[in-house]
Amino acid sequence: MKGGVDLGGTKIQAVVSDGTALVLGRARRETPRSGGPEAIVLELAEALRAALDDAGVEPMGLSGVGVGAPGSIEPDTGVVVQVANIEGWEAPFPLGPALAEEIGRPVAVGNDVNVAVEAERRFGAGRGFDSFLGVFWGTGVGGGIVMDGRMLAGRGSAGEIGHVCAKPGGRRCNCGLDGCVEAYAGRGALEERARELAKERKTVLCEIMEKRGRDRLTSGVWLRALQAGDTVAEELIERAVQALGVGIGSAVTLLDVEAVVVGGGLGERLGPEWLQRIEHAARAHTFFREPPAYRLAELGDLGGAIGASLIAP
Ligand SMILES: [Zn+2]
């Protein structure tokens, strides 16, 4: 039995699995916004215990736990060297050792998007393709590249499609570069821009957020605003789609992959209609007459955690 935990900018998802896509237990927690990495380790452990409870499995029944974390990871040590989209976490932190100490089981740490792409390759929308580009559209925009049936690692961090330039000299991205895809398409950037626009234009985004008892513009809030015909939401999501199109179309031109698999909170919530719009936007930047197949990720909310369980010791 293996544990898998997906650490995201807004939520922590934990699963207990048997090493396949079969999930025996699951639990979800909010990502703490204060207290730094120490608070996050405690919450990761809580999520894992709740998933174990759900599965009816004792902690000692786990051979190990895998964690998918957003950022650059040293896989050998479990140190998160650089972290993205988590408030109050700046410096490198030994996430693997700290969680292992907390739960008493061995822990391996990998990049959240890489593990999610690997899960899609083995059990989801990437099955049957020798090469594909995985794009995870959520708080940030992450990516992973599968070539000849294997994840492309580069020097360790290949596939950062969110930080490909969509607009030279454009909006400043969290990463420090200008005009990144993520600076237009990441949910964090979308929310920032929506709050600016809300001062001068009418939008139901914040209203829907409050009605649903949220304090962030979640993927569900964006979906409802689009369904309500909110023009601010439409404009911002359309701009996000255009930025994704530049990044994805350029990557396809460079890599000539068989397929593009789009997942993440926004990718999944917005669904097939918006996948088509992304495909359309990407085609404008694709060199080849024959475009790759475009697919929605299949493992949903649990994909990251299932992927994390695949690297568990
Ligand atoms: Zn960037």
Side-chain angles (χ1 to χ4, degrees):
M1 223 68 78
K2 309 222 178 242
V5 193
D6 181 30
L7 168 59
T10 53
K11 65 175 170 58
I12 291 166
Q13 177 75 56
V15 299
V16 172
S17 87
D18 64 352
T20 70
L22 183 67
V23 170
L24 306 169
R26 64 176 77 174
R28 196 169 164 165
R29 289 277 188 281
E30 300 252 315
T31 304
R33 289 197 225 169
S34 57
E38 291 83 2
I40 285 172
V41 167
L42 295 179
E43 208 59 31
L44 290 172
E46 274 306 309
L48 197 62
R49 287 186 198 109
L52 281 163
D53 226 32
D54 188 38
V57 172
E58 294 292 317
M60 293 316 281
L62 291 181
S63 64
V65 175
V67 180
S72 306
I73 320 292
E74 271 175 11
D76 297 341
T77 58
V79 172
V80 178
V81 184
Q82 200 185 343
V83 76
N85 296 314
I86 293 191
E87 289 165 49
W89 181 345
E90 306 290 340
F93 182 78
L95 182 67
L99 182 62
E101 164 116 8
E102 185 61 32
I103 57 172
R105 305 307 303 147
V107 173
V109 184
N111 173 271
D112 59 343
V113 177
N114 281 351
V115 300
V117 170
E118 178 62 15
E120 289 293 333
R121 184 183 78 78
R122 285 174 58 176
F123 309 123
R127 269 172 314 174
F129 294 115
D130 263 351
S131 63
F132 72 91
L133 170 69
V135 180
F136 284 78
W137 182 21
T139 309
V141 179
I145 301 161
V146 172
M147 273 292 177
D148 302 323
R150 295 192 313 125
M151 286 288 305
L152 203 63
R155 289 179 297 161
S157 309
E160 287 288 0
I161 186 112
H163 304 287
V164 164
C165 186
K167 188 176 179 190
R171 273 179 88 84
R172 173 59 53 97
C173 181
N174 273 339
C175 75
L177 298 174
D178 287 334
C180 294
V181 169
E182 185 170 303
Y184 297 94
R187 208 179 50 225
L190 282 166
E191 172 155 352
E192 201 177 292
R193 186 71 187 124
R195 287 186 189 272
E196 283 168 27
L197 286 176
K199 289 179 194 147
E200 49 202 60
R201 288 177 52 187
K202 203 175 148 22
T203 168
V204 295
L205 276 163
C206 294
E207 216 173 280
I208 295 172
M209 177 186 79
E210 281 156 22
K211 242 187 234 163
R212 303 191 79 203
R214 302 298 178 93
D215 58 358
R216 283 182 186 177
L217 300 179
T218 59
S219 302
V221 171
W222 284 99
L223 178 63
R224 270 158 214 246
L226 289 171
Q227 286 165 343
D230 187 79
T231 56
V232 168
E234 269 173 14
E235 266 175 48
L236 289 179
I237 295 290
E238 180 56 31
R239 199 167 69 142
V241 164
Q242 292 305 323
L244 286 166
V246 174
I248 293 171
S250 307
V252 166
T253 297
L254 190 66
L255 301 167
D256 194 16
V257 284
E258 293 168 62
V260 175
V261 174
V262 179
L266 272 167
E268 273 155 32
R269 272 311 181 93
L270 298 185
E273 182 198 334
W274 287 89
L275 177 68
Q276 250 179 23
R277 294 211 202 181
I278 292 172
E279 175 176 358
H280 189 258
R283 277 200 195 193
H285 303 282
T286 300
F287 175 76
F288 310 112
R289 198 163 297 166
E290 182 75 29
Y294 281 77
R295 300 268 194 274
L296 283 176
E298 287 176 5
L299 301 175
D301 259 8
L302 297 180
I306 292 169
S309 74
L310 296 176
I311 61 166

